Amino acid sequence: DPLGCEKQMQGSKNISILPKPMVFGIAPNYTCDPVPIILDGSETGVKYQQIQPEQWSDGEFIAAVATTINCGILLDLHNIWTNERNGRQSIDEFLSQIPLERVLEVHLAGGEEYNGYWLDAHNGVVQPELMEIARRVLPQLPNLRALIFEVSPLLIEKVGLAAIRVQLVDIQELWQQRHVKVQNLIIQQPVITKQPHSAINPTNWTETIGKLCTQKSLAVGSAPNSLQRRLAEDPGMAVLQHLIGSARSGTVVTALPWTSELLFRQIGGAAYKRILQEFWQTSFPRMFGGDEAADFADYLACCNLDILYLSDILAYERARIESARQRKEISIECQYDPMAIIEALSAGELPTNLVKSNSRRQIKV
């Protein structure tokens, strides 16, 4: 995926919710192996920050990627509609800039409002306005091969199968009403006339926006440069911080449920959130939940929090993560029985009057 955002930064990878790296231009002498157009394509992404003066527009970028490496385009209409609603680039301008004959697949989805922004949430049916846009756009795509409705598997029950069934019928009607005869792929190779902009290094851009939206500290003791200042002042950055923070918090709570429950009950939700935010300032997100939880567990262990039973339940859950990762039994030493701690927390209570056992336990998942 030429728009992928899994950029290696100091040994860690950004999770996929991060903004796609913003290319300021594709060098005229750029070369790469062509991508088989039937098999691959670049997706039109959603972005919550505004376009900076140095950047190409979204449409220009997608066109440059598709034509330079000779691949198809996955046109996510909900993504570019989200961009339009959030003040980025209009759908009509975007479509006027991309080679429509390269669009092989179209995605539709639902979203929701958050602090004045429209989010690409995949949490419901397609909004009627977007369905009308799709009805207008689909006949312009002579090589379209697929029309996809996206909804998060975790939210299917909330959306309801009846609503999803009606949505699929409507999308099927959209497909049948295109009145376009699918052609053999005859790809026109447009000439890219816009030259690269060299004012900002794309690597610096990616690292700066990665640190800002993951709330990781920038260089200590140095004044923010113009790029850092502009990106930090973009209201969309707060949206990205919220989304990434929610994803990272959910990862930790899922992988360390009893540690999280104990902390929440002992110090409260606000204090626990502050600990998470302090952790985010020192660590980039990890691709896998177990790695993210292990990093947080290591961070907690170094905090020396004076919380009874924390070291035991944390050791137990860290061992479970390591056991699953290494597929072997892990031995831990405990002052208190982790299962007695879990029993109390499961009942909605804090553990009380537990007797020290100073035992060694074998943990295997």
Side-chain angles (χ1 to χ4, degrees):
D1 179 358
L3 303 186
C5 62
E6 297 166 10
K7 181 184 182 296
Q8 194 78 20
M9 296 202 298
Q10 299 179 358
S12 299
K13 288 184 177 180
N14 287 331
I15 56 177
S16 60
I17 201 172
L18 287 182
K20 313 299 190 227
M22 294 313 301
V23 172
F24 299 86
I26 295 179
N29 61 351
Y30 174 84
T31 59
C32 68
D33 293 331
V35 178
I37 193 162
I38 297 296
L39 301 178
D40 295 279
S42 59
E43 181 173 1
T44 56
V46 63
K47 305 175 185 71
Y48 297 106
Q49 73 278 18
Q50 296 302 303
I51 296 176
Q52 295 296 321
E54 299 87 355
Q55 294 178 262
W56 285 359
S57 69
D58 296 334
E60 289 171 328
F61 176 49
I62 289 291
V65 170
T67 55
T68 301
I69 67 174
N70 192 31
C71 70
I73 294 174
L74 190 167
L75 178 61
D76 192 315
L77 280 177
H78 188 260
N79 282 355
I80 63 173
W81 186 56
T82 298
N83 291 343
E84 178 182 80
R85 290 189 60 160
N86 294 335
R88 198 169 165 95
Q89 184 180 29
S90 72
I91 287 181
D92 288 341
E93 182 182 50
F94 179 92
L95 294 175
S96 73
Q97 293 177 344
I98 68 171
L100 296 177
E101 74 277 3
R102 286 181 177 269
V103 176
L104 307 180
E105 186 173 323
V106 167
H107 287 187
L108 296 171
E112 65 181 8
E113 293 273 2
Y114 170 76
N115 279 6
Y117 278 76
W118 186 258
L119 302 184
D120 178 40
H122 294 191
N123 64 342
V125 297
V126 183
Q127 280 65 34
E129 183 180 347
L130 182 57
M131 289 293 287
E132 289 306 310
I133 292 171
R135 199 178 308 279
R136 171 171 59 86
V137 171
L138 294 187
Q140 303 176 46
L141 311 176
N143 294 314
L144 184 62
R145 299 302 200 253
L147 177 60
I148 308 295
F149 169 57
E150 297 180 289
V151 62
S152 170
L154 298 177
L155 298 175
I156 287 178
E157 183 176 355
K158 178 181 178 181
V159 178
L161 291 178
I164 292 175
R165 186 178 298 111
V166 171
Q167 180 70 88
L168 293 177
V169 170
D170 291 343
I171 288 177
Q172 181 66 27
E173 290 178 358
L174 268 184
W175 181 263
Q176 294 172 344
Q177 292 171 5
R178 290 179 307 133
H179 302 304
V180 173
K181 183 178 180 181
V182 176
Q183 305 171 4
N184 292 327
L185 287 177
I186 303 174
I187 301 303
Q188 305 296 323
Q189 186 80 9
V191 178
I192 300 174
T193 58
K194 189 158 185 175
Q195 295 302 306
H197 195 294
S198 58
I200 296 178
N201 184 298
T203 300
N204 293 340
W205 167 281
T206 303
E207 292 185 354
T208 298
I209 202 170
K211 288 178 179 180
L212 286 171
C213 65
T214 58
Q215 304 182 53
K216 193 176 189 298
S217 300
L218 296 170
V220 177
S222 61
N225 58 37
S226 172
L227 172 64
Q228 293 170 346
R229 217 169 22 248
R230 280 184 284 141
L231 292 176
E233 292 170 355
D234 189 326
M237 193 58 64
V239 177
L240 286 169
Q241 290 173 347
H242 166 75
L243 294 174
I244 294 168
S246 295
R248 296 186 77 178
S249 300
T251 296
V252 168
V253 171
T254 299
L256 301 172
W258 303 117
T259 298
S260 298
E261 181 73 14
L262 180 63
L263 285 170
F264 186 84
R265 291 188 174 278
Q266 288 278 29
I267 64 177
Y272 185 24
K273 184 176 181 179
R274 282 196 298 273
I275 292 175
L276 284 168
Q277 290 173 333
E278 291 166 359
F279 163 66
W280 297 337
Q281 291 175 4
T282 65
S283 173
F284 280 112
R286 299 293 291 269
M287 180 63 64
F288 299 105
D291 294 334
E292 178 83 0
D295 286 352
F296 181 65
D298 291 340
Y299 177 81
L300 273 183
C302 294
C303 287
N304 296 318
L305 298 174
D306 186 20
I307 297 177
L308 188 60
Y309 310 125
L310 177 61
S311 60
D312 291 306
I313 199 65
L314 186 58
Y316 170 78
E317 293 198 303
R318 290 173 78 181
R320 284 181 57 84
I321 292 172
E322 282 303 308
S323 175
R325 178 185 292 161
Q326 301 180 29
R327 298 183 180 179
K328 69 176 186 180
E329 194 171 75
I330 303 294
S331 178
I332 61 171
E333 292 185 0
C334 301
Q335 284 188 313
Y336 297 94
D337 181 4
M339 302 315 297
I341 300 172
I342 291 173
E343 183 178 359
L345 292 173
S346 298
E349 302 172 353
L350 282 171
T352 56
N353 302 322
L354 297 187
V355 178
K356 284 188 177 182
S357 59
N358 294 317
S359 61
R360 177 171 290 276
R361 285 184 167 269
Q362 305 300 317
I363 309 298
K364 186 174 183 181
V365 177

